[in-house]
Amino acid sequence: MALLTLRAVSLSFGGPALLHQVEFSLERGERVCILGRNGEGKSSLLKLINEEHHPDSGEMSRQQGLIIANLAQEVPHSLTGDVFEIVAGGLGQAAQLLQQYHHLNLACQHGDTDACLALGDIQAEMDSQDCWSLQHKVEQVLSRMELDGNASLASLSGGRKRRVMLARALVQEPDILLLDEPTNHLDVNSIQWLENFLASYNGTVIFISHDRAFIDKVATRVVELDRGQLRSFTGSYSQYLAEKPQLLEAEAKQNALFDKKLAEEEVWIRQGIKARRTRNEGRVRALIELRKERAQRRERIGHAQVSIQEADKSGKVVFDIHRLVVKAGDKLLVNDFSSTVMRGDKIGLLGENGVGKTSLIRALLGESPAASGQVKVGTKLEVAYFDQLRNQLDEEKSVLENIAHGSDFLDINGERKHALSYLQDFLFSPQRARTPVKALSGGERNRVLLARLFSKPSNVLVMDEPTNDLDIETLELLEERLMNYQGTLLLISHDRAFLDNVVTSTWAFMGNAVVEEFIGGYHDWLRQTAQKTVHSATKPHVSAQKNSIATPIAEQNKEKATISKRKLSYNEQRELDALPQKIAALEQEQHALQTKLNDADFFIKQAQDALQASQRLADIEEELLLLLERWTELES
C-alpha cells in the first residue's frame, strides 16, 4: 500500500495552477527527486505533502499515523545551543526533559553540586515518562551522523549545521523525509557524505535538487513538475535524460495533430452553408470544445538566452603568481602558491567552505592585499565578477533598475537592445522585470546577477558559486556558454558535473594552506590525487631512516650504498632513449585531436567520431602521465 497518494489534486495562488489535477503515489523505500524549473511549484508540492498547504481541489490520502519530517533549505537563525539539545528538539514534548538532563549532567561533571542535586529529580521524572529510550535514540542518531553532542551549533561549519538539522529530522524516525535543495551552499565533502548517507538510507525520501551528480547517485525515481503536471520516470537521472526527449517528441506530435484538426474545423465553420439550410450543431459544439481545450493548453516556457559579451583579447599572460601568501587575520589561508594563468585558461577552485577560495580570488584581483608574494596582472583585462553573496544587487530597486540603471536600452555585442527585451532572454516577463529584487526567489536573483554580469564586455570572468539555485536547464545553458567563452575563467563551484564539463585545470586546497594545480576537472583531480597517494605510499622513506638515532653507523652506510644511483641496464637505457620520441608523438596526436574537438561542426556532423576522439584524448593523457613518471624513474 502506498504511503501517500494524490488524486486529481490542484493548487494555485492566483496565477496559473502550480498543480492541475495531478496524480502521484509514493511507495515505502523510494527516493524520489522532484525536478522542474524555478517557479514551477516544487517547494509548494513539498509543503502540500507536509500539510503546510491544502489543495484547492482533489484528494490527498496518507497512511494512518504517518510521520513526515522536513529539512528546510536554510538553518533557522533562532536555533542556538549545543548539538544534543537541538537534535533532541525534534522529539517534541519529551525534548525539554532530555535537554534539561543533558545540561545538568554536563554541569554535574564539571563539579556543580546544585546541578548534581537537580539531576536526581530530572532522572525520576524521566523514569516516569519512559524518556530513557528517547535518550538512547538521540545518542544513536548522533553516532550515526558522526556528530559531537557537546559541540555548540554556532561553532560548526555550514555543512555540519546542515547535518545537525538532518539528525533533528531523523530522530523522529519519519516515514517520509522531505529535503528541499539539500546540497545548496555545501562543499564537495559534505555533498558526498550526504549522498552516501541517503543512498544507504532505508527510509523514504522526497527531495528537490539541481545537482546532477547528486540526483544520479541518490534517486530511484525522477518526477518532473512541468506546467502543472507531474511526469514520473523510473530510475536514475541518466535514464530520465534518455526518456525525456521521447516524451517531448510525442507531446509535440499530439499537439500538431490536435492543431491540424482544429484548423480544419475553423475552415469548415467559415465556409457558410452550401446546399443546406442548417449547420451540423453537434459539429459546432465539438468545435467550441476544441477551442476551449486549445485555450487551456500551457506551452513550455522558452529557454533562457544567455549570451556573454566578450571584450577585446587580453594579454597572453593574465596573472603571474609568485610565492603568494594570503591570510585572514592571523589565519593562514594560502601559503607559497605560484602559478601562471594564461589567456583562455578555465580554472576551477576546489576546497571546503571557509578554506580561502574567495580570499585567493580577491588577492589576485587586488581587492584585498596579500600577506606576501607577488601577483603580476596582465594587460587589457576587462574583469566581470559574479559574487556568491549577491552584494552587487540593490534589494530595494527593481530588476530593470539593477540592469539598466535608468536607461531603456543596453549595448549588447555591438547592438542596441531594449532592456526589457534583454531581460526576457533571462526569462523575466515585463511585469516580473519591474519587481523589486527583494521579492525574488534565489534562482531568480541568480538570473538577475547573470544578466547584469553578461551585459558588460569582459575577457576575464570570475564566478563565485554561480550554480546555486539555478534550475538544470539554465545551468546547462550557462555551462555551454562558458565552455565556448574565449576569455579566461576563474570558477568557484561545488557542482562536480559543472566543474568536469567547464574547467581545463583545477586549483585544489589540499589542507594546511597548500594549494596545488591539477590538469582537468573534479574527477581528473580525484584520479591524479589517487595516483599521487599510491606513488608516495610505495616510495621508500629513506630520510626518516637516515636520521634515526637508533640506527648504527654501519647500517646507515649500508643503506646509503643501497640507495645510491645504479647504472642502467642495456634495455633500460634503450627505453630511456626512446621515451622523448614516444612523448612527442603522443603530444602531436593530442594537439591534432584537440584541434578537431574545438570545432563545433565536428560534433554535429561526426558525432560518433567526436566521441571516439574524446575518449582517445583521455587515454593519451593517461599514457603521457605514465611515460613522464617512467622517464623520471629511469633518470633518477
Side-chain angles (χ1 to χ4, degrees):
M1 180 180 173
L3 292 175
L4 176 82
T5 305
L6 306 183
R7 298 185 185 89
V9 167
S10 296
L11 177 70
S12 66
F13 296 100
L18 297 176
L19 301 173
H20 179 64
Q21 296 187 349
V22 301
E23 306 285 333
F24 175 72
S25 64
L26 181 69
E27 300 294 334
R28 189 176 295 278
E30 284 194 293
R31 297 190 298 272
V32 178
C33 175
I34 308 295
L35 282 186
R37 286 184 166 183
N38 293 330
E40 284 284 353
K42 302 184 296 296
S43 295
S44 297
L45 175 59
L46 287 197
K47 289 178 180 178
L48 184 74
I49 292 170
N50 202 32
E51 296 190 313
E52 296 174 55
H53 292 330
H54 298 285
D56 300 332
S57 62
E59 178 189 359
M60 184 171 70
S61 60
R62 301 152 44 119
Q63 279 192 11
Q64 190 172 4
L66 193 72
I67 299 174
I68 298 179
N70 179 40
L71 178 64
Q73 285 193 33
E74 302 294 337
V75 178
H77 295 294
S78 58
L79 275 182
T80 56
D82 64 32
V83 170
F84 183 95
E85 292 174 349
I86 291 164
V87 172
L91 293 171
Q93 294 181 348
Q96 190 173 359
L97 275 178
L98 285 176
Q99 289 168 347
Q100 287 178 352
Y101 171 79
H102 179 69
H103 179 71
L104 290 171
N105 189 37
L106 278 177
C108 184
Q109 289 175 10
H110 287 85
D112 188 333
T113 53
D114 293 337
C116 293
L117 292 172
L119 193 63
D121 297 332
I122 290 291
Q123 287 173 330
E125 194 169 350
M126 288 179 69
D127 287 337
S128 66
Q129 297 191 29
D130 192 27
C131 287
W132 294 111
S133 60
L134 300 180
Q135 164 90 6
H136 180 61
K137 186 186 295 185
V138 173
E139 290 172 349
Q140 272 189 323
V141 170
L142 290 174
S143 174
R144 184 181 179 189
M145 307 290 280
E146 301 171 10
L147 291 169
D148 179 6
N150 297 326
S152 167
L153 182 70
S155 67
L156 301 181
S157 65
R160 284 271 166 180
K161 286 179 180 176
R162 187 68 63 88
R163 197 182 295 193
V164 171
M165 298 310 296
L166 180 59
R168 181 184 172 96
L170 290 175
V171 79
Q172 304 171 48
E173 297 182 345
D175 298 294
I176 301 174
L177 180 62
L178 304 178
L179 307 173
D180 193 350
E181 294 283 9
T183 63
N184 257 11
H185 307 290
L186 294 186
D187 57 42
V188 171
N189 288 341
S190 299
I191 292 172
Q192 286 183 320
W193 180 89
L194 181 60
E195 73 181 18
N196 290 331
F197 176 83
L198 292 176
S200 61
Y201 179 57
N202 294 324
T204 307
V205 183
I206 304 178
F207 66 99
I208 297 169
S209 180
H210 301 306
D211 186 321
R212 292 159 291 179
F214 181 82
I215 299 168
D216 220 21
K217 178 75 177 285
V218 174
T220 59
R221 177 158 63 113
V222 172
V223 173
E224 182 182 48
L225 177 54
D226 181 21
R227 293 163 286 169
Q229 295 297 312
L230 292 177
R231 295 185 178 89
S232 184
F233 301 83
T234 302
S236 66
Y237 178 71
S238 300
Q239 290 169 286
Y240 156 78
L241 285 180
E243 294 177 23
K244 179 67 188 295
Q246 300 169 12
L247 186 145
L248 290 176
E249 185 180 350
E251 180 186 330
K253 287 180 180 178
Q254 184 179 352
N255 287 341
L257 289 172
F258 179 93
D259 292 343
K260 182 180 178 183
K261 182 179 180 181
L262 177 60
E264 290 171 351
E265 294 302 292
E266 292 289 2
V267 170
W268 169 79
I269 199 73
R270 287 170 175 78
Q271 281 178 342
I273 307 170
K274 294 182 180 179
R276 292 166 52 199
R277 296 183 61 83
T278 60
R279 293 182 186 275
N280 182 337
E281 294 300 327
R283 192 170 177 180
V284 173
R285 286 194 296 272
L287 173 58
I288 292 171
E289 291 302 315
L290 285 174
R291 286 173 175 171
K292 287 181 180 177
E293 187 177 342
R294 180 62 184 87
Q296 291 172 357
R297 184 196 298 172
R298 290 169 64 178
E299 303 290 352
R300 281 179 61 82
I301 301 171
H303 297 287
Q305 302 296 317
V306 177
S307 58
I308 304 175
Q309 284 205 80
E310 297 198 23
D312 293 336
K313 286 184 178 181
S314 67
K316 190 173 182 180
V317 176
V318 178
F319 297 110
D320 188 10
I321 309 162
H322 181 65
R323 309 203 71 170
L324 187 68
V325 175
V326 179
K327 292 183 177 180
D330 294 331
K331 184 180 179 182
L332 182 63
L333 300 176
V334 178
N335 186 31
D336 198 26
F337 176 58
S338 298
S339 182
T340 302
V341 180
M342 307 298 290
R343 181 179 63 223
D345 283 351
K346 295 181 175 68
I347 299 171
L349 279 76
L350 190 62
E352 296 182 1
N353 287 334
V355 77
K357 301 184 295 296
T358 302
S359 298
L360 174 55
I361 291 290
R362 289 171 61 83
L364 296 185
L365 297 178
E367 294 185 2
S368 61
S372 65
Q374 188 178 31
V375 178
K376 291 182 180 177
V377 179
T379 57
K380 300 180 182 179
L381 300 192
E382 294 287 342
V383 180
Y385 189 11
F386 183 99
D387 177 14
Q388 66 164 323
L389 301 177
R390 307 186 185 101
N391 289 332
Q392 300 168 13
L393 299 177
D394 189 328
E395 298 270 327
E396 299 301 322
K397 291 183 178 179
S398 69
V399 175
L400 184 62
E401 289 170 326
N402 269 280
I403 300 301
H405 307 291
S407 175
D408 291 333
F409 292 89
L410 298 167
D411 288 324
I412 305 296
N413 288 323
E415 296 181 6
R416 200 162 183 256
K417 192 168 187 176
H418 198 282
L420 288 175
S421 174
Y422 175 70
L423 284 170
Q424 282 181 315
D425 291 344
F426 290 84
L427 304 182
F428 288 101
S429 65
Q431 179 184 0
R432 199 63 175 163
R434 294 184 174 92
T435 303
V437 167
K438 64 182 179 182
L440 302 181
S441 68
E444 288 175 317
R445 292 185 184 206
N446 257 18
R447 289 209 307 271
V448 175
L449 200 50
L450 288 175
R452 178 180 173 126
L453 186 75
F454 297 152
S455 66
K456 300 174 182 177
S458 70
N459 51 34
V460 178
L461 265 181
V462 179
M463 309 194 80
D464 195 347
E465 295 283 9
T467 62
N468 282 337
D469 303 309
L470 288 182
D471 59 53
I472 287 180
E473 287 191 18
T474 308
L475 188 147
E476 288 179 341
L477 182 61
L478 174 62
E479 191 175 84
E480 179 188 337
R481 294 295 183 268
L482 292 177
M483 288 166 66
N484 295 324
Y485 181 59
Q486 298 301 307
T488 305
L489 174 68
L490 297 177
L491 171 68
I492 298 174
S493 179
H494 301 301
D495 188 319
R496 292 157 291 174
F498 195 80
L499 286 167
D500 279 339
N501 292 337
V502 172
V503 305
T504 57
S505 59
T506 301
W507 291 350
F509 285 70
M510 308 297 288
N512 298 322
V514 175
V515 181
E516 293 186 18
E517 189 168 4
F518 296 87
I519 297 170
Y522 172 76
H523 282 95
D524 294 307
W525 167 75
L526 274 186
R527 176 178 51 79
Q528 290 172 66
T529 49
Q531 289 177 346
K532 193 173 181 179
T533 303
V534 170
H535 182 69
S536 62
T538 56
K539 189 176 180 180
H541 300 285
V542 291
S543 58
Q545 295 175 6
K546 280 184 181 182
N547 295 325
S548 172
I549 297 174
T551 305
I553 300 296
E555 289 295 319
Q556 290 188 21
N557 292 335
K558 183 180 178 181
E559 184 179 18
K560 285 179 184 178
T562 304
I563 64 168
S564 61
K565 188 172 180 179
R566 66 175 177 83
K567 187 177 179 181
L568 294 178
S569 68
Y570 175 74
N571 288 334
E572 286 174 333
Q573 186 61 54
R574 288 189 63 187
E575 182 186 359
L576 178 60
D577 293 341
L579 280 176
Q581 189 176 352
K582 287 183 179 179
I583 291 171
L586 283 174
E587 286 178 339
Q588 188 175 356
E589 184 183 358
Q590 183 185 44
H591 178 72
L593 288 174
Q594 192 65 61
T595 303
K596 279 187 176 182
L597 291 171
N598 287 339
D599 184 2
D601 290 340
F602 184 48
F603 284 91
I604 297 170
K605 297 175 182 176
Q606 303 176 57
Q608 188 61 36
D609 291 343
L611 187 63
Q612 291 175 357
S614 298
Q615 183 58 52
R616 176 56 186 155
L617 199 61
D619 293 341
I620 288 173
E621 288 182 4
E622 292 275 3
E623 290 176 33
L624 282 171
L625 281 171
L626 291 173
L627 289 176
L628 289 169
E629 283 182 7
R630 180 59 175 160
W631 194 352
T632 304
E633 183 183 343
L634 290 173
E635 282 199 326
S636 61

